[in-house]
Amino acid sequence: MIHKCLFPAAGYGTRFLPATKAMPKEMLPIVNKPLIQYGVEEALEAGCHTMAIVTGRGKRSIEDHFDTSYELEHQIKGTDKESYLKEIRSLIQTCTFSYTRQNEMKGLGHAILTGETLIGQEAFAVILADDLCANMGGKGVLSQMVGLYKKYCCSIVAIEEVDMSDVDKYGIIEGEEIEKGVYKISNMTEKPSREEAKSNLAVIGRYILTPDIFNILRVTKPGKKGEIQITDALLEQAKAGRVLAYKFEGKRYDCGNINGFVRATNDFYEAYHR
Ligand code: UTP
């Protein structure tokens, strides 16, 4: 039902400098796998086979990662190291990867609009790869959201409760709980102050969007920091009662900052590599 997943990956990753000076944030590894590969695996598990990636300058290594490296294949053929490439080979064979470039960093909303040529007129998923989501042993977060989309057929954002001291880092929603963990959004505010925030329900980097979002984004005026915010476009859909927020099962790691990255590294090492 949701066939395509968009990965906005054009940001500069300034919170992770100098590591991100010449290397995309999305290629930072958690143990031995880059963040964006975890995202692609989550999308595939949710039924998406087309990965649409919005890149920018200095992001070529993302394209190389999702392509066959003939020299490497030749080099390790028949050795015990071949098994290290098993997962990525299988992704390359199973999925289609397409790319477009965001020429100016005008915000997440603008990055999503840039991806329109790769998506077309169908509902699609969005994964921000630096938000690493894990539901160890259970259904992935995007898969849970696709299940909800089948029931409601409208835009859905993933949310989690954050400390009130952190609300100014997120889009914060208000809404009525219509079933356990599912809210019909009545209002959304991008990075409100603690005093302004009406809740501590924060939007994280997983979305399902209906394609009318593109027409809304086209006329969305730049908001905070001069960026086109996806929150503002979603608010337009929410006014028509067409956006749900979903409190997902699992854990999210903000790998765009050092604390989240280290926590994810430790947890994934414990869970999969010890
Ligand atoms: P972030 O603000 O977390 O990413 O944007 P950033 O700008 O790369 O990081 P910092 O704040 O400088 O450390 C959330 C997501 O939206 C993408 C980013 O790549 C990231 O995945 N994004 C953001 C774009 O693709 N284009 C933009 O213009 C802005």
Side-chain angles (χ1 to χ4, degrees), residues 79-152:
T79 74
D80 54 3
K81 291 193 184 126
E82 256 194 302
S83 61
Y84 296 146
L85 288 181
K86 205 170 139 226
E87 285 179 353
I88 184 70
R89 265 187 196 153
S90 148
L91 287 183
I92 293 168
Q93 276 159 15
T94 319
C95 308
T96 304
F97 294 88
S98 56
Y99 300 88
T100 190
R101 277 192 178 213
Q102 187 188 14
N103 297 324
E104 285 178 281
M105 294 309 110
K106 290 203 248 168
L108 178 57
H110 182 258
I112 291 174
L113 182 58
T114 304
E116 182 183 17
T117 46
L118 305 176
I119 298 293
Q121 283 303 305
E122 58 184 282
F124 61 103
V126 177
I127 287 185
L128 306 186
D130 51 343
D131 261 350
L132 177 59
C133 289
N135 188 22
M136 310 270 179
K139 258 191 182 180
V141 174
L142 195 61
S143 193
Q144 297 168 36
M145 293 170 75
V146 167
L148 201 61
Y149 178 79
K150 284 181 184 153
K151 183 166 170 193
Y152 290 100

Side-chain angles (χ1 to χ4, degrees), residues 159-164 183 200-202 204 247-248 252:
I159 50 164
E160 71 174 15
E161 287 188 41
V162 296
D163 285 344
M164 279 312 283
Y183 298 78
N200 67 339
L201 298 174
I204 63 119
K247 222 190 243 180
F248 60 94
R252 177 196 67 115

